[in-house]
Amino acid sequence: MNGPINTYELIEKYCLDLMDDREKLFYEMEIEKNPALKSAVHEHKTLMLSFEHMQDRDFIHSTLDHIHSSSRSNTDAVLNQLKLHVNKYWKTASVAASVAFMASILTFMVARSVYQRDNRNSVIQLKGYINNIEKEQKKINNEIAKVKKKVAPVPEGPSKYTGTSFALTQNGYIVTNFHVVDGYSKIFTFTADNVGHQTEVVVTDAENDLAILKITESDFKFGAKIPYSVKKSNPSIAQRIYSLGFPKEDIVYNEGYISSTTGFEGDSSHYQLELPSSSGMSGSPIVDESGNIVGIISDKLSQSEGITFAIKSKALLNLIKKLPKDFNSNEIASNQLKADSRSTQVKKIQPFVCVVKVYND
Amino acid sequence: MGSNSQFNMSDESLISSLACGDTKAVQYIYKSFYPTIEKMVFKMNGSVDDAYDIFQDSVTIVYEKAKADDLHLSCQLSTYIVSVAKNLWLKKLSKNKRQSVSVLYDDMEESVAVDSDISHFHEFENNVTKLQDCFIKIGEPCNTLLKAFYVDNKSMQEIAINFGYTNTDNAKTQKYKCLNRLRKLFFNKNENEFLNERTY
């Protein structure tokens, strides 16, 4: 990862004009030699300009909103201005009256019409004032929303236990093993970008070792639609499958096949898989060749290498039925990976596979 | 309309304090020019909201040009800002296919050519719209992280603390990943572009 990051840090340094003359000269020579770099620099500049514009307009908008609303709410000032206008025109009228009575009436009428126009203006201004109250209110609501979404900090120190989980909906429903979260309330889900999100248990099925969790941030969203589906029917023996899980900090891909359609000691809710697995992979999705989720890793035979047990996806679908109404099961009903090569499938699934870490209270 | 205020500021000093982001300058501009522009937009079939929107855009244009030291006026600032507002409003009207208003407000005193400034502004605005769209698409935490760094000017240390990263390097890596995703979305790129290669 260091290569591209360094490249990009240099681009940023160059665009911010933080290079000394010598460095800049060399860098510009390099840019001329390398068209890919040249276009990267150009793109970065465009993005930075857009950011800057966003910043500028935010500054002007918020400053003006403040001035605009306080000037509109200052009704005294508006009234004073109105009085000032009236006085001015009355004075004109009285001067005119001393010259000729007719003229004074005329002037009076002119003054009156001006006064009326001012009145009309103040009505419009009042309307603006109400609009501004609405705007202010919206702003306050936004602030409240911001405070609400204040993210709980990830606890210091090492986690007690880690497992793997994967997304069921874009708004943060995920599934893992019951034994991963059993007895813990401090649960954090680390998405592919390595950011921890506070998570709560929504519904569990201890018998089948399943737990459906929800990331609590109200505005949390996975970056894309769920690409895979959870399969209703059971796959047959010998079918090839693969898994994605977190036995270490980085995601690990493994492949194998279904060696038996029952689990440990004939447990019909499980499969037996010929698939390497290790701790931390509890909760990993088992995916078939066309990108359907067919199971979830639960445990392995401690004495043997390569034998892993997985919960059948049907148990997951049964548990989903117990979820609240805001859970949209359509999201995992269609599979968009059928036509993709294995590596593309994995690349698309990867963002939806997360680490679950539990901490002591 | 400078007469509205108790004291008069020269255009030059106004522009230079605006360039520094002085809110007093923005306030002065509001007091001096907003009533004129509001009246103008009213006359050209606009509402209070329209007038205020147009005014905000006009001040943004003036602010950005002032900041870039690019506001070399051959006329008074008031003439410039009114011309900008008028043109912005005309553009908006023609876009909305409302009635032609050229007849409605041909008695504009004096105006100056502002076309290129306005088209630059619209280009920026389009980019910002696109950017905001991409921000939604990249989701959290990238959205907040990138805005914290590039829009709110937070330091990487602050970001590392706020987002629960163990150190600044992790936060930097994350920022890079996020920016890269944003870049791909913004420029409609496929994944695995050249930046993933290590050829330079």
Side-chain angles (χ1 to χ4, degrees):
Chain A
M1 238 11 224
N2 266 334
I5 293 188
N6 288 342
T7 306
Y8 139 89
E9 276 190 334
L10 279 176
I11 292 177
E12 190 151 81
K13 193 172 172 191
Y14 173 72
C15 289
L16 289 171
D17 207 18
L18 295 174
M19 289 183 171
D20 61 42
D21 290 346
R22 214 176 99 93
E23 197 182 358
K24 195 172 160 182
L25 192 74
F26 277 112
Y27 197 67
E28 276 169 353
M29 274 160 63
E30 208 180 323
I31 292 173
E32 281 315 309
K33 270 187 286 177
N34 188 336
L37 180 59
K38 195 173 184 175
S39 84
V41 169
H42 178 73
E43 284 178 0
H44 192 76
K45 277 186 179 164
T46 309
L47 269 183
M48 292 306 114
L49 277 174
S50 306
F51 278 131
E52 203 183 329
H53 179 69
M54 209 163 168
Q55 216 174 3
D56 290 344
R57 77 204 281 277
D58 281 358
F59 167 67
I60 293 296
H61 281 217
S62 63
T63 313
L64 280 177
D65 280 348
H66 187 71
I67 299 166
H68 191 59
S69 59
S70 63
S71 98
R72 290 290 146 136
S73 60
N74 199 347
T75 39
D76 283 351
V78 175
L79 277 175
N80 280 340
Q81 226 176 4
L82 221 66
K83 269 187 212 155
L84 217 78
H85 273 284
V86 176
N87 284 343
K88 209 160 84 189
Y89 288 110
W90 271 108
K91 220 181 270 172
T92 320
S94 63
V95 170
S98 70
V99 178
F101 182 65
M102 279 304 284
S104 82
I105 286 181
L106 204 74
T107 320
F108 172 72
M109 280 166 76
V110 168
R112 221 169 65 121
S113 78
V114 170
Y115 175 75
Q116 273 173 348
R117 202 177 311 147
D118 274 341
N119 241 345
R120 208 178 314 143
N121 249 346
S122 75
V123 170
I124 293 165
Q125 282 174 338
L126 220 59
K127 187 182 155 218
Y129 173 46
I130 290 167
N131 284 341
N132 276 305
I133 290 176
E134 273 169 23
K135 263 186 199 159
E136 287 292 312
Q137 213 159 25
K138 255 185 222 160
K139 232 191 273 170
I140 291 167
N141 285 342
N142 284 343
E143 288 298 316
I144 292 172
K146 257 188 230 163
V147 173
K148 267 193 191 159
K149 83 171 189 201
K150 270 258 161 73
V151 185
V154 176
E156 298 278 326
S159 59
K160 200 71 193 142
Y161 206 91
T162 83
T164 302
S165 64
F166 59 93
L168 298 176
T169 63
Q170 211 181 345
N171 67 0
Y173 277 103
I174 57 173
V175 61
T176 188
N177 285 136
F178 176 65
H179 75 256
V180 173
V181 294
D182 185 19
Y184 291 91
S185 58
K186 228 179 204 171
I187 305 165
F188 281 81
T189 302
F190 289 76
T191 37
D193 44 32
N194 200 22
V195 174
H197 304 274
Q198 197 173 27
T199 305
E200 60 184 20
V201 176
V202 184
V203 58
T204 60
D205 176 357
E207 198 180 322
N208 286 316
D209 196 15
L210 283 176
I212 295 179
L213 320 176
K214 173 99 175 30
I215 291 170
T216 51
E217 288 153 38
S218 58
D219 58 350
F220 176 87
K221 254 190 157 42
F222 282 100
K225 285 197 174 128
I226 312 284
Y228 43 77
S229 66
V230 176
K231 211 170 178 189
K232 285 195 191 89
S233 56
N234 293 329
S236 52
I237 194 163
Q239 200 167 330
R240 302 210 68 89
I241 44 91
Y242 62 91
S243 73
L244 286 166
F246 287 94
K248 53 175 191 173
E249 282 293 305
D250 298 302
I251 198 162
V252 171
Y253 167 87
N254 277 316
E255 57 183 40
Y257 53 86
I258 292 172
S259 49
S260 167
T261 53
T262 56
F264 186 59
E265 292 177 338
D267 179 356
S268 66
S269 65
H270 281 62
Y271 308 115
Q272 185 179 323
L273 309 173
E274 191 64 31
L275 180 86
S277 66
S278 47
S279 64
M281 283 175 69
S282 288
S284 300
I286 300 293
V287 190
D288 73 7
E289 286 186 304
S290 38
N292 301 302
I293 307 274
V294 294
I296 297 136
I297 292 186
S298 62
D299 38 25
K300 60 176 264 185
L301 219 53
S302 55
Q303 297 303 314
S304 72
E305 274 305 306
I307 295 181
T308 300
F309 295 108
I311 307 147
K312 292 180 181 170
S313 50
K314 213 169 181 177
L316 172 61
L317 289 170
N318 285 336
L319 186 59
I320 281 172
K321 288 178 191 152
K322 291 190 192 163
L323 282 171
K325 289 221 165 61
D326 73 316
F327 181 91
N328 181 3
S329 57
N330 287 337
E331 288 188 43
I332 41 165
S334 73
N335 178 356
Q336 282 134 39
L337 301 165
K338 274 176 201 146
D340 292 329
S341 69
R342 178 69 59 94
S343 64
T344 312
Q345 282 185 1
V346 169
K347 205 177 287 163
K348 285 183 180 169
I349 295 174
Q350 217 175 309
F352 299 93
V353 182
C354 314
V355 184
V356 173
K357 292 188 182 176
V358 298
Y359 299 84
N360 278 334
D361 285 322
Chain B
M1 286 301 285
S3 58
N4 264 3
S5 301
Q6 298 296 316
F7 60 98
N8 278 305
M9 226 191 222
S10 77
D11 281 357
E12 219 172 296
S13 60
L14 180 59
I15 290 168
S16 67
S17 57
L18 179 68
C20 308
D22 185 352
T23 52
K24 286 211 181 76
V26 182
Q27 193 158 9
Y28 186 87
I29 287 176
Y30 178 85
K31 282 200 175 141
S32 313
F33 309 127
Y34 182 63
T36 318
I37 286 168
E38 193 183 59
K39 226 176 271 174
M40 178 184 78
V41 174
F42 283 172
K43 275 197 198 172
M44 294 159 87
N45 286 352
S47 67
V48 183
D49 286 346
D50 291 330
Y52 184 59
D53 283 349
I54 291 296
F55 184 68
Q56 281 189 322
D57 289 349
S58 311
V59 180
T60 308
I61 291 177
V62 173
Y63 172 59
E64 290 199 311
K65 281 187 74 94
K67 237 179 69 179
D69 197 15
D70 189 26
L71 196 61
H72 307 297
L73 296 176
S74 55
C75 61
Q76 287 208 314
L77 182 60
S78 61
T79 312
Y80 176 77
I81 197 166
V82 170
S83 305
V84 167
K86 182 192 171 192
N87 278 281
L88 281 174
W89 180 236
L90 287 175
K91 282 247 161 65
K92 200 171 176 185
L93 278 177
S94 64
K95 213 169 149 193
N96 292 349
K97 290 204 180 81
R98 287 200 226 169
Q99 73 182 99
S100 157
V101 280
S102 49
V103 271
L104 278 170
Y105 210 74
D106 258 354
D107 55 334
M108 267 290 301
E109 319 86 71
E110 34 178 342
S111 69
V112 285
V114 290
D115 279 353
S116 73
D117 296 343
I118 285 179
S119 64
H120 268 127
F121 173 77
H122 280 136
E123 193 184 314
F124 280 145
E125 287 286 288
N126 287 341
N127 278 350
V128 167
T129 315
K130 203 158 112 190
L131 202 58
Q132 280 163 340
D133 198 42
C134 294
F135 269 131
I136 294 169
K137 282 189 192 143
I138 58 171
E140 292 299 349
C142 281
N143 188 340
T144 323
L145 196 153
L146 288 179
K147 277 185 184 158
F149 186 79
Y150 288 107
V151 184
D152 303 331
N153 290 333
K154 293 255 163 58
S155 73
M156 280 324 279
Q157 283 88 334
E158 280 177 273
I159 290 174
I161 293 165
N162 288 348
F163 286 76
Y165 293 107
T166 42
N167 58 46
T168 350
D169 275 346
N170 284 350
K172 270 187 191 161
T173 308
Q174 187 52 43
K175 190 192 88 185
Y176 159 74
K177 283 187 189 164
C178 290
L179 187 71
N180 210 23
R181 273 173 66 191
L182 183 78
R183 193 179 55 83
K184 281 170 189 160
L185 277 170
F186 192 85
F187 297 102
N188 288 322
K189 294 266 163 116
N190 293 321
E191 285 180 51
N192 297 324
E193 287 279 322
F194 52 85
L195 270 180
N196 288 338
E197 293 162 15
R198 297 184 182 189
T199 46
Y200 60 84

